[in-house]
Coordinates of all heavy atoms in Angstrom, one line a residue:
I15 N 4.3 8.0 -1.5 CA 3.5 7.1 -2.4 C 4.1 7.1 -3.8 O 4.3 6.1 -4.4 CB 2.0 7.5 -2.4 CG1 1.4 7.3 -1.0 CG2 1.3 6.8 -3.5 CD1 0.0 8.0 -0.9
N19 N 5.7 4.1 -6.0 CA 5.2 3.7 -7.3 C 6.3 3.6 -8.4 O 6.3 2.7 -9.2 CB 4.1 4.6 -7.8 CG 2.8 4.5 -6.9 OD1 2.6 3.5 -6.2 ND2 2.0 5.6 -6.9
L34 N 4.3 -9.1 -18.5 CA 3.8 -7.7 -18.3 C 2.4 -7.6 -19.0 O 1.6 -6.7 -18.7 CB 4.8 -6.7 -18.9 CG 6.1 -6.5 -18.1 CD1 7.0 -5.6 -18.8 CD2 5.8 -6.0 -16.7
F36 N 0.3 -10.3 -19.2 CA -0.6 -11.3 -18.7 C -1.8 -10.6 -18.0 O -1.6 -9.6 -17.3 CB 0.2 -12.1 -17.6 CG -0.7 -13.1 -16.9 CD1 -1.2 -14.2 -17.4 CD2 -1.1 -12.7 -15.6 CE1 -2.0 -15.1 -16.7 CE2 -1.9 -13.6 -14.8 CZ -2.4 -14.8 -15.4
L49 N -0.8 0.5 -16.4 CA 0.1 1.6 -16.4 C -0.2 2.5 -17.6 O -0.1 3.8 -17.5 CB 1.6 1.1 -16.5 CG 2.0 0.4 -15.2 CD1 3.4 -0.2 -15.4 CD2 1.9 1.2 -14.0
P61 N 0.3 18.4 -17.4 CA 0.4 19.8 -17.9 C -0.6 20.7 -17.2 O -0.3 21.9 -17.0 CB -0.1 19.6 -19.4 CG 0.2 18.2 -19.7 CD 0.0 17.4 -18.4
G81 N -11.7 20.2 -0.1 CA -13.0 20.5 -0.6 C -13.9 19.3 -0.5 O -13.5 18.2 -0.5
Y86 N -14.2 13.8 -1.6 CA -15.0 12.6 -1.9 C -14.3 11.8 -3.1 O -14.1 10.6 -3.0 CB -16.4 13.0 -2.3 CG -17.2 11.8 -2.9 CD1 -17.8 10.9 -2.1 CD2 -17.3 11.7 -4.3 CE1 -18.5 9.8 -2.6 CE2 -18.0 10.6 -4.8 CZ -18.6 9.7 -4.0 OH -19.2 8.6 -4.6
L92 N -8.8 5.6 -3.3 CA -7.9 4.8 -2.5 C -8.2 3.4 -2.6 O -9.3 3.0 -2.6 CB -8.0 5.2 -1.0 CG -7.3 6.5 -0.6 CD1 -7.8 7.0 0.8 CD2 -5.8 6.3 -0.6
P93 N -7.1 2.5 -2.7 CA -7.4 1.1 -2.8 C -8.0 0.6 -1.5 O -7.7 1.0 -0.5 CB -6.0 0.5 -3.0 CG -5.0 1.6 -3.0 CD -5.7 2.9 -2.8
S105 N -12.0 6.2 -23.9 CA -10.8 6.8 -24.4 C -9.6 6.5 -23.4 O -8.4 6.7 -23.8 CB -10.9 8.3 -24.6 OG -11.2 8.9 -23.4
L131 N 6.5 18.4 -9.6 CA 5.4 19.3 -9.3 C 5.0 19.3 -7.8 O 4.7 20.4 -7.3 CB 4.1 18.8 -10.1 CG 4.3 19.0 -11.6 CD1 3.1 18.3 -12.3 CD2 4.4 20.5 -12.0
A135 N 5.0 22.7 -5.5 CA 3.8 23.1 -4.8 C 4.1 23.4 -3.3 O 3.2 24.0 -2.7 CB 2.8 21.9 -4.9
K142 N -6.0 27.6 -2.6 CA -6.5 28.6 -3.5 C -6.2 28.3 -4.9 O -7.0 28.7 -5.8 CB -5.8 30.0 -3.2 CG -6.3 30.6 -1.9 CD -5.8 32.0 -1.6 CE -6.4 32.5 -0.3 NZ -5.7 33.7 0.2
K177 N -1.2 -7.4 -8.5 CA -2.0 -8.7 -8.4 C -1.7 -9.6 -9.6 O -1.9 -10.8 -9.6 CB -3.5 -8.5 -8.3 CG -3.8 -7.9 -6.9 CD -5.3 -7.7 -6.7 CE -5.5 -7.1 -5.3 NZ -6.8 -6.8 -5.0

Side-chain angles (χ1 to χ4, degrees):
I15 293 169
N19 292 338
L34 295 171
F36 171 78
L49 297 175
Y86 171 80
L92 281 169
S105 63
L131 293 171
K142 289 187 178 164
K177 290 183 179 178

